[in-house]
Amino acid sequence: MSDTLLAPVLFLPHGGGPLPLLGEPSHKPFVDWLSTLAPNLPRPKAILVISAHWETPVPSVTASEDPGIVHDYYGFPEAAYKIEYPVKGSPALSRTVIALLKQQGMLAVQDELRPLDHGVFVPLTLLYPNADIPCVQLSLLDHLNPETHIELGEALRELRKKGVLIIGSGLSFHNLKVFFDRQADGARGEQFDQWLTDTCCAPNHSYAARCERLINWETAPEARYCHPREEHLLPLHVCLGAGGDAPAEHVFSDYMLRQKVSGYLWR
């Protein structure tokens, strides 16, 4: 990657546990999209993933050269527990992330024991199936403050100049009860999805306005219906901060388990 070309920032809906890798029908549009996305992106030197499935009191970064993976789900077929993704870590990138966060006054720590969770290895299996690009995972903060997560992303912007692809792995809709309710009205989630896409992608919003809207995301239509708890939304806040002034591209839109979900890309 040229030194003058910024690596992109990608927010993706990682799906229901391992279902994207098990052939679940409603995940097929997502699988098809993510499996063909890599040729349309500059090949990164490394990947930093912020997953909805790791929360800590202070920002924590995986630091092992061989982090391994954890099958952090239950109740799925045996094949779900045979999935492997033997990607290498990058202690050097981990140290860089720590340094960037500390420059912004954020206490941050390395974690040499933490394996990569399914919010990392499931989408990366589709995006980079050869597992040949070093990967580091960064935690969410367990206070779930939206403004702090935008600031976290802003602190990481410099990584884009170094060829690091930043991925926010969550879901733009995450209400487990609704996912498994076949009578649930998908129109309610569509209202929030439309608001979210307008917030991230409409060119008439300034960066400050996008931040203000995401900080106050609970005021959006059907916000708490779509996110009874916001851990699957907050990777998007990190992506917004890392993406910078330009609006995002709405690169994925379809239904998972009968609910509308979206993906966004900052170039």
Side-chain angles (χ1 to χ4, degrees):
M1 174 181 291
S2 167
D3 291 338
T4 60
L5 181 63
L6 291 178
V9 177
L10 175 65
F11 173 80
L12 54 82
H14 62 226
L19 291 179
L21 304 182
L22 299 179
E24 195 280 322
S26 77
H27 285 72
K28 187 178 187 304
F30 167 72
V31 170
D32 291 346
W33 165 69
L34 197 57
S35 298
T36 57
L37 180 61
N40 298 312
L41 302 176
R43 182 173 173 83
K45 295 178 180 177
I47 302 169
L48 175 68
V49 182
I50 303 92
S51 163
H53 293 279
W54 187 22
E55 300 174 24
T56 56
V58 298
S60 301
V61 191
T62 58
S64 172
E65 289 190 4
D66 292 290
I69 66 172
V70 56
H71 300 110
D72 55 333
Y73 38 68
Y74 60 91
F76 291 96
E78 183 179 355
Y81 305 94
K82 295 183 177 180
I83 296 169
E84 298 292 342
Y85 192 74
V87 70
K88 294 292 185 181
S90 174
L93 175 56
S94 178
R95 290 191 294 270
T96 299
V97 171
I98 296 289
L100 289 173
L101 295 179
K102 288 184 176 179
Q103 286 175 16
Q104 299 303 314
M106 297 182 181
L107 175 66
V109 298
Q110 291 183 307
D111 189 326
E112 297 183 353
L113 300 178
R114 167 81 186 187
L116 305 177
D117 63 53
H118 77 269
V120 181
F121 71 79
V122 169
L124 288 189
T125 296
L126 299 170
L127 186 59
Y128 296 109
N130 293 330
D132 56 355
I133 301 174
C135 179
V136 164
Q137 182 174 354
L138 171 65
S139 69
L140 294 175
L141 296 168
D142 59 10
H143 57 57
L144 305 182
N145 179 275
E147 185 171 7
T148 303
H149 285 87
I150 293 174
E151 293 170 352
L152 193 66
E154 291 173 344
L156 299 173
R157 287 183 188 176
E158 189 70 19
L159 293 177
R160 302 179 63 192
K161 298 178 183 179
K162 303 178 183 295
V164 177
L165 170 63
I166 298 173
I167 296 177
S169 176
L171 273 168
S172 53
F173 181 101
H174 191 259
N175 183 329
L176 292 179
K177 290 183 179 179
V178 174
F179 274 140
F180 295 105
D181 179 2
R182 294 187 177 275
Q183 305 303 316
D185 182 6
R188 294 183 67 182
E190 288 169 2
Q191 294 181 53
F192 183 75
D193 188 86
Q194 183 177 354
W195 178 89
L196 206 59
T197 298
D198 177 73
T199 296
C200 294
C201 304
N204 57 302
H205 296 311
S206 66
Y207 174 69
R210 298 181 205 283
C211 290
E212 186 69 18
R213 286 166 68 96
L214 275 191
I215 289 169
N216 297 295
W217 70 273
E218 289 179 89
T219 64
E222 303 291 358
R224 277 300 179 187
Y225 173 79
C226 296
H227 292 279
R229 191 173 186 273
E230 54 266 45
E231 81 286 344
H232 275 73
L233 183 64
L234 288 175
L236 178 61
H237 290 67
V238 182
C239 287
L240 179 76
D245 293 344
E249 300 172 30
H250 191 196
V251 289
F252 178 76
S253 179
D254 214 293
Y255 291 82
M256 285 182 181
L257 302 173
R258 300 170 298 281
Q259 297 300 321
K260 188 75 169 291
V261 295
S262 286
Y264 306 101
L265 179 71
W266 288 259
R267 294 188 188 270

